[in-house]
């Protein structure tokens, strides 16, 4: 009895050296290449955004604001990373210095959400109010400069008030 050959349905794929069937799905392959190209563009955009500071600690992340009357000027980072150190620098103009001291109000969010760790120089006094904390600093020069070291506790949007 002759050995029976296994019966396979015929395929329409080209054969390599007559024995191995090589299949090719160009529609899938084109879709995959398109996915790869889009992935590379997205990755490049994320890297460029990070290098410019859109994701924190960079050129676009740095910001400045000033009071309309020019008595206070702030420098800060727009994007804070949870657990990463940051700093707000407050420059107080000589017109806001009275009797060699400066009163600086900060909203509760600076402590509660942004994790204020230290204030330089150390305030002489601090008063806790309903909306925030008022610090009194010695001011020997003009402008008086106060730095608030931050370390945000969690991600999210925070709105602060300094005055």
């Amino acid at each position: 009895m002759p050995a029976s050959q296994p019966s396979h349905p015929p395929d329409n794929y080209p054969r390599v050296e007559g024995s191995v069937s090589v299949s090719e799905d160009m529609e899938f392959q084109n879709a995959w290449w398109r996915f790869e190209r889009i992935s590379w563009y997205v990755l490049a955009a994320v890297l460029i955004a990070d290098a410019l500071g859109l994701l924190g600690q960079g050129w676009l992340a740095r910001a400045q604001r000033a009071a309309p009357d020019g008595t206070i000027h702030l420098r800060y980072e727009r994007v804070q990373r949870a657990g990463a150190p940051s700093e707000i620098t407050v420059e107080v103009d000589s017109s806001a210095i009275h009797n060699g001291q400066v009163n600086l109000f900060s909203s509760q969010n600076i402590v509660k959400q942004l994790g204020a760790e230290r204030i330089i120089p150390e305030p002489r006094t601090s008063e806790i109010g309903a909306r925030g904390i008022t610090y009194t600093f010695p001011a020997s020069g003009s402008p008086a400069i106060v730095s608030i070291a931050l370390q945000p506790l969690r991600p999210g949007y925070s709105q602060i008030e300094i005055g």
Side-chain angles (χ1 to χ4, degrees):
M1 196 181 225
S4 64
Q5 297 286 337
S7 65
H8 295 289
D11 57 21
N12 295 329
Y13 299 116
R15 298 195 175 271
V16 175
E17 296 186 14
S19 62
V20 178
S21 177
V22 178
S23 63
E24 190 174 75
D25 184 353
M26 285 310 291
E27 183 178 332
F28 172 78
Q29 191 67 39
N30 286 329
W32 184 257
W33 288 335
R34 188 173 33 254
F35 170 76
E36 281 183 341
R37 273 192 308 276
I38 291 170
S39 297
W40 280 108
Y41 290 132
V42 168
L43 180 62
V46 168
L47 289 174
I48 290 169
D50 186 41
L52 293 176
L54 281 174
L55 304 178
Q57 296 183 345
W59 175 64
L60 291 175
R62 293 186 200 107
Q64 297 183 21
R65 297 218 54 193
D69 61 0
T71 55
I72 294 179
H73 185 81
L74 295 174
R75 287 191 314 261
Y76 61 98
E77 292 181 17
R78 285 185 190 102
V79 179
Q80 308 274 328
R81 290 185 176 148
S86 180
E87 184 176 73
I88 295 176
T89 303
V90 182
E91 291 182 11
V92 182
D93 189 56
S94 60
S95 62
I97 299 173
H98 302 288
N99 299 326
Q101 64 184 20
V102 172
N103 292 327
L104 185 69
F105 170 80
S106 69
S107 60
Q108 293 178 2
N109 292 346
I110 288 183
V111 175
K112 288 184 176 181
Q113 293 179 352
L114 296 178
E117 293 187 329
R118 69 181 178 281
I119 299 175
I120 300 170
E122 188 172 331
R124 283 186 185 154
T125 62
S126 58
E127 289 182 37
I128 299 175
R131 293 181 31 230
I133 304 170
T134 302
Y135 299 102
T136 303
F137 296 96
S140 57
S142 179
I145 298 175
V146 176
S147 293
I148 304 171
L150 307 173
Q151 189 157 358
L153 305 172
R154 59 187 167 273
Y157 177 77
S158 296
Q159 186 169 353
I160 64 169
E161 182 181 343
I162 293 181

